[in-house]
Amino acid sequence: MINKIRPHRIFDLVPAEEKSAVICLPQKKSLTSMLERGILLSLAKAVKPQRIFEFGTYLGETTFMLAENTEAEVFTLDLGESYDSPQLDNFEKNNLAQHRSNQKQWEIRECGKRVTQLLGDSTLFDFSSYHGSIQFVLIDGGHQTEVVIKDTENALALLDRSKPGCVIWHDYNNPHYEITQYLDGLSESLKLFYIEETKYVVYFNEHFPF
Ligand SMILES: C[S@@+](CC[C@H](N)C(=O)[O-])C[C@H]1O[C@@H](n2cnc3c(N)ncnc32)[C@H](O)[C@@H]1O
C-alpha cells in the first residue's frame, strides 16, 4: 500500500538556512499549485541533485524553478514540433500547443545556461546516455497509462544509485487519469510516498535517509 505523508514532513527536510526559494507565481494555464511548487523545491533542496530530468516541459515553469533553486544541470523533455499527435487527447494537444508557443522563463535567466531542452516522444526517446546519472527525476509528461508505465521504467533506469536521489510522479489522485491505480499497484514493489494535499508521489533511493 502507498505510504501517505503530510507536506510538513517534506518541508522539514530542508535545513533552516536554505528555506528561501524563488517560486514562479502560477498563471491561468499552470498545472501545479503553490503548495506543490514548495514541495517540489523542498525535495530538490533536500536531495541536492547534480542532474535533474523532467518528463514534460509544458510552460517550463517547473524547469525554471528547479534550475533557479539548485545548482543542477536540468534536462527537460517534451514532444517536438513535428510530432504527429492523433493519440493525444484534447487536453494533451492543448498542453503541446502551450509548450510550443510559450516563452520559457529560463531562456531569459542566468540559470538557463544549465537547462537543456530535449524534444521527442518519451516512449521512443533514447535515454541510454543518461542512465544512472540523474539524482532527481520528475515524471509529468504523457498521461496515458502506457506512457506513464514506459516513463517510469525509463526514470528508474535514469536514477543514480550511488548518491541520494528520487523519482517523483505528478497527477496521483487526478480523476482524469489512471495514474493513481498504476502507482497503487507499483507501491507493492517500490516504497512510494504520497504527499497529502498534492498530486505528488515520491520514491527515494537507498541513499536518501527518509
Ligand atoms: C502536464 S504537462 C507538464 C507540466 C510541467 N512538468 C509543469 O510542472 O508545469 C505535460 C507535458 O508533457 C508533454 N507530453 C505528452 N506526451 C508526451 C510524450 N509522449 N513525450 C514527451 N512529452 C509528452 C505535453 O506536450 C505537455 O507539455
Side-chain angles (χ1 to χ4, degrees), residues 15-209:
E17 63 280 10
E18 289 176 40
K19 291 265 186 210
S20 60
V22 175
I23 295 206
C24 195
L25 298 173
Q27 48 179 303
K28 195 174 172 191
K29 300 176 283 188
S30 297
L31 299 173
T32 56
S33 68
M34 281 297 280
L35 175 63
E36 289 179 318
R37 290 164 191 233
I39 288 290
L40 201 70
L41 296 181
S42 298
L43 285 167
K45 281 171 178 282
V47 170
K48 295 191 190 314
Q50 291 168 353
R51 298 180 107 199
I52 293 174
F53 201 106
E54 178 186 34
F55 290 72
T57 312
Y58 187 48
L59 304 178
E61 293 178 321
T62 298
T63 323
F64 162 68
M65 290 188 286
L66 288 172
E68 183 74 14
N69 291 284
T70 67
E71 290 174 5
E73 202 179 346
V74 181
F75 301 92
T76 182
L77 173 66
D78 210 295
L79 297 166
E81 296 287 333
S82 61
Y83 187 74
D84 177 16
S85 51
Q87 65 166 341
L88 300 179
D89 61 25
N90 285 339
F91 179 73
E92 295 279 357
K93 282 182 189 158
N94 186 41
N95 279 357
L96 182 54
Q98 298 287 358
H99 154 63
R100 285 175 178 165
S101 64
N102 191 61
Q103 154 101 66
K104 309 291 190 295
Q105 280 281 326
W106 79 71
E107 290 168 351
I108 51 168
R109 300 295 187 99
E110 188 65 19
C111 70
K113 292 186 180 143
R114 287 182 280 108
V115 175
T116 304
Q117 170 81 76
L118 303 167
L119 295 177
D121 181 338
S122 65
T123 62
L124 304 173
F125 191 80
D126 179 6
F127 290 94
S128 55
S129 60
Y130 301 90
H131 279 177
S133 74
I134 310 283
Q135 295 83 30
F136 190 97
V137 188
L138 173 62
I139 302 179
D140 194 15
H143 293 95
Q144 303 91 334
T145 308
E146 59 278 16
V147 177
V148 180
I149 292 173
K150 188 78 184 152
D151 287 355
T152 301
E153 211 176 284
N154 283 319
L156 292 170
L158 290 175
L159 195 61
D160 181 351
R161 301 289 175 170
S162 69
K163 299 183 184 71
C166 67
V167 175
I168 303 164
W169 293 258
H170 193 234
D171 286 305
Y172 185 82
N173 271 355
N174 184 331
H176 298 108
Y177 308 118
E178 290 166 8
I179 296 174
T180 310
Q181 294 89 313
Y182 169 64
L183 290 175
D184 283 342
L186 190 66
S187 70
E188 302 294 324
S189 52
L190 271 191
K191 191 170 183 187
L192 300 181
F193 294 91
Y194 163 58
I195 305 166
E196 289 178 337
E197 297 177 41
T198 77
K199 295 195 190 75
Y200 286 127
V201 162
V202 191
Y203 163 72
F204 294 102
N205 73 3
E206 52 281 20
H207 295 283
F208 194 89

